[in-house]
Amino acid sequence: MPMYFYRGTFAPELKTHILENARNFEAIMRGSIEAFGGKLDVCFLSATSAEPIGFVEFKNDLDARSWNLFYGSQHGVTTSDLESLIDYGELQKIAKRVNQCSEKATQHRRL
């Protein structure tokens, strides 16, 4: 399953509630993600800001974006950012494509 990096921010009242109930935070996140067919790999609260950070997996972008929209719309969640990560195989394909196209893409420099 494709992996995503997640980070969010909370309004002060939700942040206080989460810090008071930090033991339950991972279970709450896990249940939310699994409801959309995803898998929580790791989730924690940032030591500097007490904001959520984690790595999650979803079967496809539709499930990932749907969860992100749902989570970001919850009371007290002020931002919810989700970024897809590139795996090694994709990175190799990108490098190959750059090598294939770089000469043609820079032909204008010879004019």
Side-chain angles (χ1 to χ4, degrees), residues 85-102:
L85 301 179
I86 298 175
D87 67 24
Y88 185 69
E90 287 178 282
L91 189 57
Q92 286 180 313
K93 289 176 187 176
I94 290 168
K96 182 178 179 181
R97 185 73 175 143
V98 168
N99 286 332
Q100 289 172 340
C101 299
S102 61

Side-chain angles (χ1 to χ4, degrees), residues 17-89:
H17 173 75
I18 287 172
L19 289 173
E20 290 171 352
N21 299 284
R23 290 185 317 199
N24 300 326
F25 180 70
E26 185 174 331
I28 291 167
M29 290 295 288
R30 184 177 311 285
S32 170
I33 292 162
E34 289 176 354
F36 284 82
K39 177 184 175 230
L40 176 64
D41 288 326
V42 64
C43 180
F44 52 91
L45 296 172
S46 167
T48 57
S49 64
E51 305 295 0
I53 299 171
F55 292 93
V56 298
E57 296 178 48
F58 287 95
K59 295 175 190 169
N60 53 55
D61 274 346
L62 176 64
D63 291 344
R65 305 295 173 201
S66 297
W67 172 78
N68 192 46
L69 180 64
F70 164 78
Y71 191 74
S73 69
Q74 299 305 294
H75 178 73
V77 177
T78 54
T79 63
S80 181
D81 298 320
L82 193 66
E83 299 174 36
S84 61
L85 301 179
I86 298 175
D87 67 24
Y88 185 69

